[in-house]
Amino acid sequence: MERRMDLDHHLCYLYTWTAHEEELSLCKLELKVLLGCIPEERIVASERRIDPSRSPFVKHRLDVLLEGEDLPELSRQVAEMELEEGATFKVVFLDSDGSVDYAEARAIERVLGLHIRGKAEMRRPDRLFGVARTHGRWRFGACHGSEAVWLRHQAKPQHYSTALSTRVARAVANIAVPEPAGVRAIDPCCGIGTVLIEALSMGVDIVGYDINPLAVRGARANLAHFGFPDVAAIGDIRQLGGAYDTAILDMPYNLCSKLPPDEQLAMLASARRLASRAVIVTTEDIDAMLQRVGFRITDRCVVRKGAFARHILVCT
């Protein structure tokens, strides 16, 4: 009996990802927080459904509809399904470990494509399907590609030499707020608003402050440039009030001089007062300071750029 493909019912989700070696630690921490599992292979399975465009490292999400022990078994299941009348489709193979060459991948796509009741369309299909072989099993389902939203945010009118890259800022925002619904976040040293922009683009309820009026002016210009609300204001982290679910604190630093320890300690104590959870970005070892103000480091990673390293600490 023929049955129409139901894209709303799935067995699990598979995510493909890639990261440069210098950002691999950050990528694994972000995906651990977002997907609830540590990614050991280039395809990771999760019961959590996220928009693949949220992460700067995720490339595809495969909504698994069918699975089988081998390709013939999977093909038989695909043959029992049909698309909506008149719908076009395309099948792409998602390689988990680089073991499948180009010719074999295209052959796999053709085998499954021939069993789908519909019209193949390579450029603009109505339905994009993916197939992957993971842990000895074949899986097939609707495939969703990532849109590099953070790349568009690089073209902002105001820049700052030591600001986070949009890729790192987006990952940090995801680590701080993996589930935005009902969460209030604060960036108390927001600079030119790089983290604010990435967080707002993902629906995070966030506000930003900075003690430097020029930085706030730049943040407002950048927010307006991308059509985001003005959530930046002048403020000293040590004097801010309110209660937030999470704080994102990129510790100020200068390549020529270091922030005095007493000022660092005051900033960390203020972050602890503002939120019970924080993601802190630092270029120095501040573990002892964090413990002193009552924070406990629950996770961490390092992002490198040559000899320069940023430490990203998840604290509660």
Side-chain angles (χ1 to χ4, degrees), residues 156-179:
K156 49 184 176 286
Q158 300 295 318
H159 294 267
Y160 194 65
S161 60
T162 56
L164 298 177
S165 70
T166 56
R167 184 197 303 272
V168 173
R170 194 173 187 87
V172 167
N174 277 327
I175 293 168
V177 190
E179 298 180 8

Side-chain angles (χ1 to χ4, degrees), residues 16 41-43 93-100 132-135:
T16 65
E41 299 180 340
R42 294 296 175 173
I43 292 185
F93 177 77
L94 306 179
D95 195 358
S96 62
D97 55 11
S99 62
V100 177
R133 183 173 57 193
T134 60
H135 302 290

